[in-house]
Amino acid sequence: MILFLKDFFLIESERLYLRLPLRKDFENWVILRKKNEKFLNKWEPKKTDHFYSLRNFKLRVNWCKRNLKNKKSVSLLIFLKKDDVLIGGITMDNIRQGSSQSASLGYWLAEEFARNGYMTESMNKIIEYGFRDLKLSRLEAATLPENEPSRKLLEKVGFKYEGVAQSYLKIYGKWRNHIIYSKLREDRKGRK
């Protein structure tokens, strides 16, 4: 189920719901992110000095709303349905219409919730939304070569290996090569 009202956007799956961040999420987001810094830092860009500030979070909330409205990005937090616990986030960014009809995916999950199928469930729902509702043709994702769980996740949800992007992203202060994956909408796939 997808619910889209003026300032509210929700995607539901069997065990999860994905929605835009709200101001009220700030404290829980900070607690979860700080608790998982060691786990996440090896996969993400270095944080700014203001990363955990309320002002930065409010700017992020507004950015998410504005970019969803303009169909430039869909940046959602992931919650367990059973107890409304925040467990991660997923973003479909750099949405390009016209001749490209593509977007890039990024995602993170707290370590204690990893390997329970939650990110697979989230990915399947955001992929469905991108292909069905946004009419995208292609989704892309990049991961560090040594991030086996991320690579397995992408392959599990139907992404295909495309190659290596040299010095693709600056991860925790160092330019790093990334493995590039893509997934095409079913009607766009070539013959087997």
Side-chain angles (χ1 to χ4, degrees):
M1 177 182 94
I2 298 173
L3 181 61
F4 189 22
L5 302 171
K6 183 182 176 209
D7 284 331
F8 191 77
F9 181 85
L10 178 83
I11 297 176
E12 279 189 309
S13 66
E14 182 183 338
R15 301 176 295 164
L16 308 168
Y17 63 91
L18 291 65
R19 69 159 167 77
L20 288 172
L22 302 172
R23 161 58 187 93
K24 69 177 186 173
D25 298 318
F26 174 68
E27 290 82 10
N28 290 331
W29 177 83
V30 169
I31 291 167
L32 188 67
R33 291 294 306 199
K34 283 188 175 184
K35 182 179 176 185
N36 285 274
E37 270 187 337
K38 186 176 180 186
F39 177 67
L40 295 172
N41 280 350
K42 58 189 168 194
W43 315 120
E44 297 181 337
K46 194 171 184 178
K47 309 298 179 279
T48 66
D49 292 340
H50 306 291
F51 184 74
Y52 292 115
S53 73
L54 176 57
R55 181 178 186 281
N56 190 55
F57 191 81
K58 286 179 180 178
L59 290 171
R60 178 78 179 168
V61 168
N62 292 333
W63 178 89
C64 292
K65 284 183 193 175
R66 184 176 58 254
N67 281 304
L68 177 68
K69 181 181 176 183
N70 296 331
K71 295 184 179 175
K72 302 258 185 221
S73 178
V74 181
S75 188
L76 308 171
L77 295 177
I78 303 167
F79 296 86
L80 294 176
K81 268 187 185 177
K82 66 180 179 182
D83 52 13
D84 296 316
V85 170
L86 172 63
I87 65 169
I90 191 164
T91 299
M92 182 183 299
D93 202 5
N94 197 20
I95 297 172
R96 301 169 302 279
Q97 294 295 342
S99 59
S100 178
Q101 295 178 313
S102 62
S104 301
L105 291 179
Y107 43 90
W108 65 273
L109 193 68
E111 185 174 23
E112 65 190 281
F113 300 104
R115 293 175 180 73
N116 288 294
Y118 295 134
M119 192 51 76
T120 301
E121 205 170 309
S122 299
M123 287 285 279
N124 283 328
K125 293 311 275 185
I126 198 95
I127 290 166
E128 178 186 340
Y129 175 73
F131 286 156
R132 186 190 66 208
D133 297 280
L134 295 179
K135 308 291 188 235
L136 298 176
S137 174
R138 172 188 168 88
L139 295 173
E140 303 160 353
T143 187
L144 288 165
E146 67 271 20
N147 192 343
E148 284 297 323
S150 185
R151 293 179 71 176
K152 286 179 182 175
L153 166 71
L154 290 169
E155 291 166 4
K156 184 175 185 179
V157 297
F159 278 70
K160 304 293 182 209
Y161 171 89
E162 285 199 334
V164 177
Q166 303 295 313
S167 297
Y168 186 69
L169 291 173
K170 200 172 189 180
I171 301 299
Y172 214 70
K174 293 183 180 178
W175 286 103
R176 299 290 311 276
N177 294 348
H178 278 66
I179 305 295
I180 304 297
Y181 285 87
S182 71
K183 181 177 175 81
L184 300 179
R185 195 174 62 211
E186 281 300 316
D187 65 327
R188 294 280 297 127
K189 292 182 179 177
R191 294 182 182 205
K192 293 183 180 181

